[in-house]
Amino acid sequence: MRRAVIALGANLGDRGSTLREAAAAILAVPGVRPVAASHEVESVAMTLSGPDETKPRYRNGVVVVDTDLEPDALLAALHDIEDAHGRVRVERWGDRTLDLDIVAVDDVVLDAADLTLPHPRAAERAFVLAPWLDADPDAVLPGAGPVAALLSAVGDDTVRVEEPRLFASRPSELPGAPQ
C-alpha cells in the first residue's frame, strides 16, 4: 500500500461541485482508500505565460489516499475521471473543467513520458501546497522538504473557500463507516 497525494483543480463550470464529485470518484476507484482531504481554495489561473487575472479563477484542493495501484494505473484512473467531467486537452495549461495531478506517491521518483514524480512544479505552487498543508499539516514533498516551509517560501496567494472538506478528513467520518 502506498500513500498518494492528488491535486484537484477546475476553472470552468460549477467548480466546487466538480471537485467534490471528483474526490468521490477517486474514492470509488478500486484499490484506493481515503486518508485526508483539504478544504477548497481559490487561485488565479496559471498559464504558460504565468498568472493570468483575465482567466476564470481556479478552485483547487488536495486529497491524500492510500492505494494498491501503481502510479501509472492511478494516473489512468484519474484521466478517466477527468474525461467523465468533460476534460478537453486543447491548450497546455488552458482552462479546464477538471485537472487531476498526482503530486507524490510515497518517495517514488519517476520520470516517464506521461508522469513525473514527485510533480516537478508542486514546490512552486501555492494552490497545491496550501490545500495539501490543510489536509496534512506534517506533509513533506519528497526531495523538496516540508510543505509548510515550501508554502512559506513561495507565499500563499490562495483564498480558502468556506465549504466542507472534499471528503471527510478521517476515514471514520465517511458515510457508512463504523461508529
Side-chain angles (χ1 to χ4, degrees):
M1 180 96 24
R2 293 179 173 165
R3 176 88 18 114
V5 178
I6 302 167
L8 300 84
N11 77 330
L12 298 176
D14 186 346
R15 303 164 302 157
S17 292
T18 297
L19 293 188
R20 288 185 293 280
E21 290 169 8
I26 291 167
L27 296 184
V29 172
V32 171
R33 291 164 199 72
V35 174
S38 71
H39 291 90
E40 297 168 44
V41 298
E42 196 167 278
S43 64
V44 66
M46 182 63 67
T47 68
L48 284 173
S49 302
D52 188 341
E53 295 280 352
T54 68
K55 298 274 188 178
R57 291 180 64 82
Y58 270 85
R59 286 272 184 102
N60 301 96
V62 164
V63 297
V64 181
V65 298
D66 283 338
T67 183
D68 296 327
L69 300 175
E70 291 298 319
D72 60 333
L74 179 59
L75 181 64
L78 297 179
H79 283 172
D80 289 345
I81 294 167
E82 287 177 337
D83 292 345
H85 284 87
R87 169 73 188 264
V88 179
R89 290 170 177 79
V90 175
E91 175 188 355
R92 185 170 185 221
W93 294 5
D95 295 336
R96 58 199 73 170
T97 56
L98 181 62
D99 184 35
L100 301 174
D101 287 323
I102 302 174
V103 177
V105 177
D106 282 340
D107 291 331
V108 172
V109 175
L110 178 67
D111 191 7
D114 59 345
L115 180 61
T116 301
L117 292 175
H119 191 289
R121 289 170 300 282
E124 306 163 2
R125 296 181 168 170
F127 61 83
V128 171
L129 299 170
W132 188 4
L133 188 62
D134 179 45
D136 180 2
D138 299 319
V140 174
L141 178 61
V147 170
L150 296 170
L151 181 59
S152 178
V154 300
D156 187 357
D157 60 354
T158 66
V159 177
R160 182 167 163 179
V161 176
E162 293 304 320
E163 293 283 344
R165 292 183 182 275
L166 292 175
F167 61 74
S169 61
R170 292 182 294 277
S172 62
E173 296 173 347
L174 293 168
Q179 298 298 322

